[in-house]
Amino acid sequence: MSDTHPLREAVHHRRLSDYLALALMYFAQGLPMGLAFEALPTLIRHSGHGMAQIGWVGLAFLPWALKFLWASHIDNLCRKAGISRVVFVTQALVAIACLGMSTLDFRTDLALILMGVVGLNLICATQDIATNAYAVSRLQGKGAGPANAMQVGGFIMGMLAGGGGLLIVHPYLGWSGLMLVFAVLMLALYLPLWLRRDWRRHQPQTPTAVVKLKDLLQHDDLIFAILIAMSFKLASTAVSTLIKAWLIDRGLDLSTAGALQASNLTFMALGSIVIGIPLVRRCGNRSAVGIAGALAMLFLGVALLLEISGWHELRLYYLLFGLQGLFEGAFYVSVWALLMNWASPERPGTDYTTMQCCESLTNMLGASIVGVLGQHFGYLPTFGGAWIIGILAWVLIVRCLSRIELQGESR
């Protein structure tokens, strides 16, 4: 009995260390996404370029949607070289790219800057595969809830820092200064990982054959996992995309609308930790998805309620959209904890990454068509239709839950 407590302490310390590592890596990966989708459109317009140039920013999303195509190669590389080396190389490549981009002028070199931002997202999307492999291989099981809270919270905070954070300091540093800060920040984020002795050690090789993308077909329940990944965020992405225009049409200025969106993201990160983690631990993967999904879909109707009621109180916006963000964050954590525990430990990066790509592809669909629908039908029918789609998606997810097999289960 005397050896039990030190062993438990060692496991607890290792888990905390793993959670910190995940938070740092996911934060780093959120930075270029925030740069592309939050900061870059504003900077492009501020520099005198037209709306057409802003459309090219969407290319930065492609690596995140298509990374499953090279996920198996990164899985194999992580097994041969070690996850820590793969993460270091990608982090260093981002820093080098930022140093190169710091020499460019936003007014005359926009095409090169856009190519560079796409490159940054390509590198970080590749690093994300290695991070997923790390998370699945070390934290599958009871650690999946906190691990995915670190993913949701870390990535959102990275997006906020890479978007609004960089815009705040841009008037003082300019584009070149921003890229130098970006490079230093990426290297600084790796430092706590490098200081961990267990991180610097060569990662133990996972067993057997070379990983291939087609190995996904070994999952008899693959279609049900894909349906969950593709459906759980479709409606909320559509609503959150349309809300940006809705806020402006309700008379909010850009800074106020931006502050409200930042508040919503912060509440989402908070909900992933304070609601998502306890829910997964106490209720288990499947029940947590069902409960959090029901609450998230209920509050997905906030925009519809505000549109019907005509309420235009800013404090009410903060309260209701904040509550929506809390339960969405909990829902995202519960779904990703479920899919983490579904992923095979023999190909952790490939399985988990493919599910992320399924989510990304439907997010692109939702975000791309909701503006057209809003323009054609108006806010009220579009918000209402998205809410109905969200409820139907939740019903579909609940039906799929009993049909997927998690690691460690036997059927």
Side-chain angles (χ1 to χ4, degrees):
M1 291 292 290
S2 60
D3 293 335
T4 304
H5 181 67
L7 179 61
R8 190 184 299 122
E9 285 289 326
V11 171
H12 179 68
H13 178 75
R14 196 204 78 175
R15 280 281 172 91
L16 289 178
S17 186
D18 286 338
Y19 297 148
L20 174 61
L22 287 178
L24 291 171
M25 286 187 281
Y26 283 123
F27 181 90
Q29 291 152 29
L31 286 170
M33 184 70 87
L35 173 64
F37 294 102
E38 301 296 333
L40 204 58
T42 303
L43 293 174
I44 289 173
R45 194 65 176 149
H46 183 264
S47 299
H49 297 286
M51 297 292 288
Q53 281 74 21
I54 295 177
W56 290 103
V57 171
L59 291 174
F61 197 75
L62 284 178
W64 298 96
L66 300 177
K67 61 184 176 177
F68 73 96
L69 294 174
W70 59 92
S72 59
H73 300 292
I74 301 301
D75 247 342
N76 292 320
L77 183 61
C78 288
R79 289 163 58 173
K80 292 177 181 178
I83 293 174
S84 61
R85 291 189 178 94
V86 173
V87 171
F88 171 74
V89 169
T90 51
Q91 205 93 338
L93 286 173
V94 170
I96 293 170
C98 288
L99 291 176
M101 291 170 65
S102 70
T103 64
L104 301 176
D105 187 290
F106 218 100
R107 297 183 183 276
T108 59
D109 300 319
L110 181 60
L112 291 175
I113 288 174
L114 287 170
M115 290 172 59
V117 171
V118 173
L120 293 180
N121 279 276
L122 173 62
I123 297 168
C124 284
T126 301
Q127 185 190 103
D128 187 55
I129 300 168
T131 308
N132 291 339
Y134 181 87
V136 174
S137 61
R138 293 179 70 95
L139 293 164
Q140 201 170 49
K142 292 183 179 180
N148 283 281
M150 295 303 103
Q151 176 191 176
V152 173
F155 199 86
I156 288 175
M157 291 299 105
M159 283 192 66
L160 287 173
L166 291 183
L167 285 177
I168 290 172
V169 299
H170 178 265
Y172 306 99
L173 301 177
W175 172 254
S176 296
L178 284 186
M179 288 297 96
L180 292 175
V181 168
F182 208 114
V184 172
L185 184 57
M186 293 300 287
L187 294 176
L189 287 169
Y190 188 80
L191 183 61
L193 300 177
W194 183 81
L195 292 174
R196 284 178 52 187
R197 285 181 296 176
D198 61 326
W199 174 264
R200 296 200 305 270
R201 283 197 218 108
H202 191 281
Q203 300 286 343
Q205 292 194 4
T206 38
T208 68
V210 172
V211 176
K212 299 178 181 178
L213 182 60
K214 67 179 182 180
D215 293 341
L216 277 167
L217 298 176
Q218 295 178 17
H219 285 285
D220 295 331
D221 53 357
L222 177 62
I223 184 62
F224 300 111
I226 288 176
L227 285 173
I228 291 173
M230 293 185 71
S231 61
F232 83 97
K233 204 176 173 184
L234 171 62
S236 64
T237 297
V239 169
S240 65
T241 301
L242 195 59
I243 281 174
K244 294 178 174 66
W246 181 84
L247 291 173
I248 299 301
D249 288 345
R250 288 297 165 273
L252 273 66
D253 58 42
L254 284 176
S255 61
T256 304
L260 180 59
Q261 291 172 40
S263 172
N264 297 343
L265 287 173
T266 303
F267 272 102
M268 191 181 297
L270 184 64
S272 70
I273 297 171
V274 301
I275 300 176
I277 294 175
L279 197 60
V280 171
R281 281 182 171 172
R282 295 180 182 179
C283 301
N285 285 134
R286 292 184 176 86
S287 295
V289 171
I291 295 169
L295 292 169
M297 292 309 113
L298 175 64
F299 279 89
L300 188 63
V302 162
L304 177 63
L305 172 65
L306 293 171
E307 177 66 12
I308 292 173
S309 65
W311 295 331
H312 301 310
E313 177 63 44
L314 184 59
R315 287 177 294 182
L316 192 62
Y317 290 175
Y318 273 98
L319 173 63
L320 292 180
F321 286 128
L323 287 172
Q324 179 182 335
L326 278 174
F327 293 116
E328 283 186 354
F331 185 38
Y332 299 163
V333 164
S334 63
V335 169
W336 286 121
L338 178 89
L339 294 174
M340 176 180 284
N341 286 330
W342 168 84
S344 169
E346 295 182 356
R347 47 185 183 278
T350 302
D351 284 11
Y352 195 64
T353 295
T354 301
M355 295 303 104
Q356 289 179 334
C357 292
C358 290
E359 179 219 344
S360 296
L361 289 170
T362 50
N363 285 350
M364 289 175 65
L365 174 65
S368 62
I369 67 173
V370 72
V372 177
L373 294 175
Q375 179 73 26
H376 187 73
F377 296 106
Y379 286 120
L380 184 61
T382 307
F383 282 141
W387 193 29
I388 292 171
I389 290 172
I391 293 171
L392 293 176
W394 176 77
V395 173
L396 173 65
I397 290 167
V398 170
R399 292 182 66 86
C400 289
L401 287 175
S402 61
R403 291 171 169 82
I404 67 170
E405 183 176 342
L406 306 184
Q407 296 300 316
E409 290 183 337
S410 58
R411 292 291 178 97

